[in-house]
Amino acid sequence: MKKKTTYKWMGAIVVFSIALFAVIYFFHLQDDAIKVASDVKPGGPPTLSYYIQGDLDNPLEKPMDVTKVGQYVYVTDTNHKQVQAFDTSGTPIFKFGKEGTNKGQFQFPYGIAGDKDGNIYVADLYNAKISIFTSKGQFIKYFEVANKADVLKGPGGLRIYNNKLYVTDIPKNKVLVFDLKGKKLLEIATATGKDDFLNSPNAVAIDNDKNIYVSDTGNQRLVMYDKKGNFKRIINGSTDGKGSSKFVNPRGIGVEENGTLLLVDNMTHYVYGFDKNGKQVFQYGGIGSDKGQFYLPNGLFIDDKGEVLITDTVNARVGLYY
């Protein structure tokens, strides 16, 4: 009887040990997958504050990009062929644009940015134009390039920094920098060398040192350049950017005040954080519709307060993180 009891206890210990090992192993994998650097952000990656979804009568449908200019948050509401504006609490205020090819109309409103005067620039990927509106959504004019050779074929991501317009031309596989009068200042078409071409570059961002970051979507990587367009670094989640990329369809990017680079990876449904040396320091998200999750996220914008706005296309919402 004593022998059987001993066997039972031994069996229970073995089962418990296996279960404990499984739990430890699972959390080890999770810890390895989601690395948080405490010196980047206290408590880890940005924390979700609230969602912007629109009102019941006119909810967002496939929000692609977002910016914050003055007192308003502007979202390209792409399936509705319009831009929706919200106040800083997420309340819908007004909208502008409709389907068409005329002034103030859109076929595929995508990238969005604002200048120091509060004017709103909207890239229309299919109409091949960048439209400029007042802060209240009144059409002003199209952005015109000075040289016909620089005419845009499919403008995607937009950023305005120090009175310069940075734009990705997705079908031309280029990133172009203009002054706000349309004069081309810089063109970027390659990465590590003259034969290493960009492939469908999707988004662009600039840090405080005027370095330029491009999500090179078709090549599953992010490329960093100096202010003159000279190649500096590949970032793809591997050591020194030399291994296989962990990205699948990288999209929106932004740089925080402390130099942390944020990247939206559309088809893994994660947002990744990297330090100044291109080393991954955290990731957050994952596929789903719960709080903090994403389903094909796309656009990312960091405002002057350090708040992070991310468009979550299939979930039809914009998350504000701080």
Side-chain angles (χ1 to χ4, degrees):
M1 187 74 177
K2 186 176 180 182
K3 194 172 183 180
K4 289 182 178 179
T5 303
T6 301
Y7 287 153
K8 287 181 179 179
W9 275 104
M10 290 176 65
I13 291 171
V14 170
V15 171
F16 175 77
S17 299
I18 293 172
L20 181 61
F21 174 79
V23 170
I24 293 172
Y25 182 69
F26 172 77
F27 280 104
H28 173 73
L29 288 178
Q30 292 292 96
D31 185 60
D32 185 59
I34 305 175
K35 298 178 180 178
V36 176
S38 59
D39 60 342
V40 174
K41 256 188 186 298
T47 301
L48 177 66
S49 179
Y50 62 85
Y51 285 116
I52 295 172
Q53 295 177 287
D55 56 36
L56 292 176
D57 295 328
N58 196 24
L60 294 170
E61 189 174 324
K62 198 175 183 180
M64 293 297 287
D65 202 11
V66 58
T67 193
K68 184 179 176 185
V69 183
Q71 59 183 321
Y72 297 128
V73 173
Y74 298 87
V75 182
T76 47
D77 185 14
T78 302
N79 275 6
H80 287 140
K81 321 297 183 187
Q82 64 184 7
V83 173
Q84 288 209 48
F86 303 84
D87 67 17
T88 52
S89 69
T91 302
I93 303 299
F94 60 89
K95 55 185 179 292
F96 56 92
K98 64 179 181 178
E99 185 170 9
T101 58
N102 295 323
K103 294 178 179 180
Q105 298 179 341
F106 304 114
Q107 289 290 340
F108 196 97
Y110 193 7
I112 189 166
D115 65 21
K116 63 180 179 59
D117 296 321
N119 297 318
I120 308 302
Y121 293 60
V122 183
D124 191 331
L125 187 62
Y126 294 168
N127 274 338
K129 294 181 182 296
I130 297 174
S131 297
I132 305 174
F133 299 85
T134 68
S135 61
K136 295 297 179 66
Q138 181 181 353
F139 179 82
I140 301 174
K141 63 179 181 178
Y142 292 120
F143 179 79
E144 297 288 348
V145 300
N147 190 327
K148 290 184 178 180
D150 301 321
V151 170
L152 300 168
K153 186 175 181 181
L158 297 180
R159 282 290 182 272
I160 295 177
Y161 182 83
N162 281 355
N163 292 320
K164 297 176 184 177
L165 176 66
Y166 295 73
V167 53
T168 64
D169 194 325
I170 296 174
K172 280 190 173 182
N173 301 313
K174 294 179 179 180
V175 178
L176 300 123
V177 184
F178 299 92
D179 67 20
L180 296 186
K181 294 181 179 179
K183 179 183 177 181
K184 186 175 75 173
L185 305 174
L186 181 66
E187 179 178 311
I188 300 172
T190 59
T192 60
K194 64 179 183 179
D195 297 321
D196 182 13
F197 296 99
L198 299 178
N199 185 359
S200 301
N202 199 275
V204 59
I206 303 91
D207 67 17
N208 288 335
D209 295 322
K210 301 180 183 178
N211 294 310
I212 303 167
Y213 300 81
V214 178
S215 56
D216 187 13
T217 305
N219 287 321
Q220 313 300 340
R221 64 187 180 181
L222 188 147
V223 188
M224 178 183 177
Y225 305 87
D226 67 16
K227 63 182 180 181
K228 295 182 179 179
N230 298 310
F231 169 78
K232 293 187 72 172
R233 181 180 295 122
I234 294 291
I235 299 172
N236 65 6
S238 70
T239 303
D240 297 325
K242 296 179 180 179
S244 297
S245 177
K246 72 187 301 178
F247 304 150
V248 186
N249 208 21
R251 296 294 184 95
I253 47 180
V255 185
E256 296 184 303
E257 188 67 27
N258 63 6
T260 302
L261 172 70
L262 299 183
L263 167 71
V264 171
D265 197 35
N266 179 255
M267 295 187 72
T268 66
H269 317 280
Y270 277 104
V271 175
Y272 294 98
F274 299 90
D275 66 15
K276 293 180 179 180
N277 298 314
K279 179 183 177 182
Q280 184 182 330
V281 291
F282 59 73
Q283 72 185 55
Y284 61 99
I287 188 169
S289 57
D290 292 339
K291 284 187 175 181
Q293 293 183 316
F294 303 106
Y295 200 149
L296 300 181
N298 190 80
L300 183 148
F301 179 78
I302 303 173
D303 70 12
D304 55 6
K305 296 179 181 178
E307 295 176 331
V308 180
L309 292 151
I310 301 171
T311 61
D312 190 359
T313 62
V314 175
N315 286 325
R317 63 193 183 187
V318 178
L320 185 143
Y321 298 76
Y322 62 89

